[in-house]
Amino acid sequence: MPKFAANLSMMFNEVPFLDRFQAAADCGFTAVEYLFPYDHKAEVVAERLQAAGLVQALFNMPPGDWAAGERGMAALPGREGDFASALDTAIAYAKVIGTPLLHMMAGLAPAMDPQAIMTYRENLKRATDRTGEAGIGLVIEPINGRDMPGYFLNDFNRAVDFIADTNAAHVKLQFDVYHRQILHGDVIMALRQMAPVIGHIQIASVPNRHEPMTGELDDRRIFAEIDAIGYQGYIGCEYRPAAGTRAGLGWMNKL
């Protein structure tokens, strides 16, 4: 039976961010994830997590200037210093909050640009070394161009190749079913083939990114396959509720 983590950046937006931890626990979740905790002190986030009795599943490294449209810095030539500072910040937060995984966002850059590729490889190596020293897992995630036009890492096989190049057991793939379907389809086969390098899974319906079981995929079949491949981690519910978070949670009762 899958274990679900509420994504507090998309779910429970009916209340302020720090109140979403308890709201998630009240609805039966045992774990949470979110995009970024950096608007709050790490100690405050850790207190809310502990008070609600929740496990932290994952959060992202600082992405640069999100409000200005930046979506990560790992593939951005000339931003290596900013990336290194963001990595330090993420690890410091991870140690206080207690997350087992950090997601490294690639940023907006031409996918085949040699300079962007070299920069990404170098920053991935830096992040691999630093997270390894800290005892924290690192994941990278392909993201579709419909939701994030121009995102550098937009192919699952390429992500697997980057992971293989690190030769590090703690560097894994963040397999988002929603992004996989839009980018390539073939979700079930990809889960089977990529199972050895999957470090985190996320779910949302396609095409509207609402609750599971409301779109074009057979999400029950996908959850069964996730169990079949032996995945032991949390599945992040990274979806936008169609009509309020609590009103849409009935999908979990159908499993």
Side-chain angles (χ1 to χ4, degrees):
M1 179 69 179
K3 302 182 298 183
F4 296 106
N7 187 296
L8 301 186
S9 296
M10 292 192 174
M11 302 174 70
F12 300 103
N13 280 201
E14 299 86 350
V15 297
F17 177 75
L18 291 176
D19 294 334
R20 295 173 197 171
F21 292 86
Q22 190 59 54
D26 290 344
C27 287
F29 286 96
T30 58
V32 295
E33 63 177 35
Y34 37 78
L35 294 181
F36 315 109
Y38 309 109
D39 286 341
H40 306 276
K41 291 183 178 180
E43 292 79 7
V44 173
V45 176
E47 288 171 2
R48 294 300 180 106
L49 188 73
Q50 184 175 14
L54 295 167
V55 173
Q56 182 70 50
L58 163 141
F59 57 80
N60 297 344
M61 291 172 50
D65 191 341
W66 185 268
E70 290 191 322
R71 295 296 182 264
M73 297 177 285
L76 304 187
R79 300 291 298 279
E80 292 85 353
D82 292 335
F83 176 85
S85 295
L87 177 59
D88 288 343
T89 297
I91 290 174
Y93 265 75
K95 288 180 176 179
V96 174
I97 296 172
T99 185
L101 293 173
L102 288 172
H103 169 218
M104 185 187 83
M105 297 191 73
L108 307 182
M112 293 296 109
D113 177 68
Q115 192 66 33
I117 294 170
M118 182 178 70
T119 301
Y120 185 79
R121 290 187 186 279
E122 291 174 349
N123 281 327
L124 179 57
K125 176 63 166 60
R126 181 178 293 108
T128 296
D129 291 344
R130 293 280 285 109
T131 54
E133 293 166 359
I136 301 166
L138 179 68
V139 291
I140 60 174
E141 177 190 26
I143 296 177
N144 80 81
R146 187 170 75 200
D147 285 69
M148 202 170 286
Y151 194 72
F152 173 80
L153 188 60
N154 59 6
D155 182 275
F156 273 67
N157 289 329
R158 194 177 191 210
V160 171
D161 289 342
F162 279 128
I163 291 166
D165 288 344
T166 70
N167 195 32
H170 73 287
V171 180
K172 299 287 187 179
L173 175 69
Q174 184 165 310
F175 190 111
D176 188 308
V177 171
Y178 170 81
H179 291 306
R180 172 70 199 193
Q181 174 67 3
I182 294 172
L183 283 168
H184 310 294
D186 206 18
V187 172
I188 297 294
M189 187 58 69
L191 283 167
R192 293 173 181 173
Q193 293 175 342
M194 298 178 180
V197 296
I198 292 175
H200 188 61
I201 294 176
Q202 293 176 322
I203 191 78
S205 68
V206 182
N208 295 321
R209 208 169 189 175
H210 293 325
E211 289 84 352
M213 304 188 197
T214 63
E216 66 191 39
L217 294 176
D218 183 349
D219 290 312
R220 289 186 184 85
R221 179 71 184 84
I222 290 170
F223 291 140
E225 188 63 38
I226 290 170
D227 281 342
I229 65 173
Y231 177 73
Q232 299 295 311
Y234 287 95
I235 299 175
C237 300
E238 196 182 43
Y239 66 80
R240 301 184 186 95
T245 303
R246 291 174 177 81
L249 288 176
W251 66 270
M252 288 193 292
N253 299 325
K254 298 177 182 178
L255 295 179

